[in-house]
Amino acid sequence: MPRRGLSLAQGHPRSDPEQGPDRSSEASRLGLLWMALGLALALALPDSLVLWVPAEAHPLPAQGHPARLNRMAPQLRATFGWWNLTCPVCKVLFTVIDIGLKQEPNVARVGSMAIKLCNMLKIAPPAVCQSAVQLFQGDMVEVWTRSVLSPSEACGLLLGSTCGHWDVFSSWNISLPAVPKPPPRPPSPPAPGAPVSRILFLTDLHWDHDYLEGTDPDCVNPLCCRQGSGFPPTSRPGAGYWGEYSKCDLPLRTLESLLSELGPAGPFDMVYWTGDIPAHDVWQQSRQDQLRALTTITALVRKFLGPVPVYPAVGNHESTPVNGFPPPFIEGNHSSRWLYEAMAKVWEPWLTAEALHTLRIGGFYALSPRPGLRLISLNMNFCSRENFWLLINSTDPAGQLQWLIGELQAAEDQGDKVHIIGHIPPGHCLKSWSWNYYRIVARYENTLAGQFFGHTHVDEFEVFYDEETLSRPLAVAFLAPSATTYIGLNPGYRVYQIDGDYPGSSHVVLDHETFILNLTQANAPGATPHWQRLYRARETYGLPNALPAAWHDLVYRMRSDTQLFQTFWFLYHKGHPPSEPCGPSCRLTTLCAQLSARADSPALCRHLVPEESLLDIHSLRPKPLFC
């Protein structure tokens, strides 16, 4: 159970913080609230607004809340003269912040101060600061008043560990059933001529309603190639008709082209679609904008896929503010009911009544798309480092992991196999959530036949190992590349070949193919878009199969085979890698990430690098900065 925050069952606020002064003067209190929302803003604003790094920076450093606040803490100290702040005074100040917000949470007044702070610290361009604060302020003040940081945690962050301990996300564990784990049974290869299913996998479509050909792809805002981006100087080209290699998302015509040109990649038995429908203009999105994206793209998918069943998952961009997914105990206007109800309405033709029921409650569901196979769609926002609502209580939000265990146990009891789909990969989650998920995968390795995620926009995977020795590969999560170009990528999609629909099928992944639109060719004068297969996994990497051990072996082959790694690096970026080469350190961190399905676990990379380098590799684990 968490040390404080709201109980999932009761929803009561935490106990009062350590006692301090009752109330300060109006000016002092507002100044403190300004500082409070400044910290909250650093937590809430997506990384693309807090720190702009060009596409050449892949792979990127960790972007969890502690890393981001540690990066901003020196600026905050300098801005407010906190270099002379003592630990006792700091705790008194943050106690007053807590009391002040609980007694008078004036959202508009605090927001206006946060705008000034955002501009002072140059967190984003002024217009973005204005819009972002106005969008986030209501939710952030609500989260803060329900307890974000205790005074000792806030002061530990700002003044160091001698003053307090920064650990908002406390450790917790789920309960596994007492049913003994069956002995591991690796799947047997299907017999020659056995049926094979083809699953279309779509993720991170990111439709930009305001995309405009010819506009500046290198504007000052976090998202460009759109109305308001302005036009580039005559010495530089503007945004291409079909998309652009820059911090830009896709026009609707490119998504229509993708869906209308699927013929050579099909036919498909079903579609897995793991979210992120709206664009990255996260500082100015309304609920109406998000619902327009949801209904427009769902209608487009249905138009071109026809009777093929589609099974969606919720991305982190579906809500507004972005990443804001409160657990079900948050009710009223702050809840996610507006979004889940809309999803249930437009996805109803694809889902069962039971699936729609849990979708409306928490954005996750389970169903059986065919005999012997159970599909589980997780709401991975409940594991997200960026979901600021989890600062209230991060313990198994919505009870989703405990629900997952029940579904997996039922599948094991019935002899069914399970596919899991979700948006954010498990290795990119909060540590406790990720480690608990890792335990679940290890327990149900015989039942779990496939895991499919997106979010990072690049082409990669995560291997799971036995918990006892961390040496036996027992599962793999496939991370498919994005449809969007954001940032500097070709548009793309994935097709999985799965052991097919017959009695005794393992339903495991047999192979996969990635298809792209080469923007250089598509945007050439007089050209038409041509979606082409970029590669087939087993053929390109020389894999004997697509089971976990084969992907484990591939990582170690790439460690010693530079040419093989360069092939991976090229495909990792969907055929448009950064101009800067990936040197030895970049290569090790990239390979380490493929082995790290458990967040913040450098031990998984111990065979790749010398023991003394493990902490460095841990701190450099690639994370999606712009997703």
Side-chain angles (χ1 to χ4, degrees), residues 154 443 599 607:
R443 165 60 183 83
H607 299 303

Coordinates of all heavy atoms in Angstrom, one line a residue, residues 154 443 599 607:
A154 N 9.7 17.4 -1.4 CA 10.0 18.6 -2.2 C 11.3 19.2 -1.8 O 12.1 19.5 -2.6 CB 8.9 19.7 -1.9
R443 N 5.4 -15.7 -14.6 CA 4.5 -16.7 -14.0 C 3.7 -17.3 -15.1 O 3.4 -18.6 -15.1 CB 3.6 -16.0 -13.0 CG 2.3 -16.9 -12.5 CD 2.7 -18.2 -11.9 NE 1.5 -19.0 -11.6 CZ 0.9 -19.8 -12.5 NH1 1.3 -19.8 -13.8 NH2 -0.2 -20.5 -12.1
A599 N 11.9 -2.0 -16.1 CA 12.4 -0.6 -16.0 C 13.4 -0.5 -14.9 O 13.4 -1.2 -13.8 CB 11.2 0.3 -15.6
H607 N 25.8 -8.8 -19.0 CA 26.7 -9.5 -19.9 C 27.1 -8.7 -21.1 O 28.0 -9.1 -21.9 CB 25.9 -10.8 -20.4 CG 25.6 -11.7 -19.3 ND1 26.5 -12.3 -18.4 CD2 24.3 -12.2 -18.9 CE1 25.9 -13.1 -17.6 NE2 24.6 -13.0 -17.9

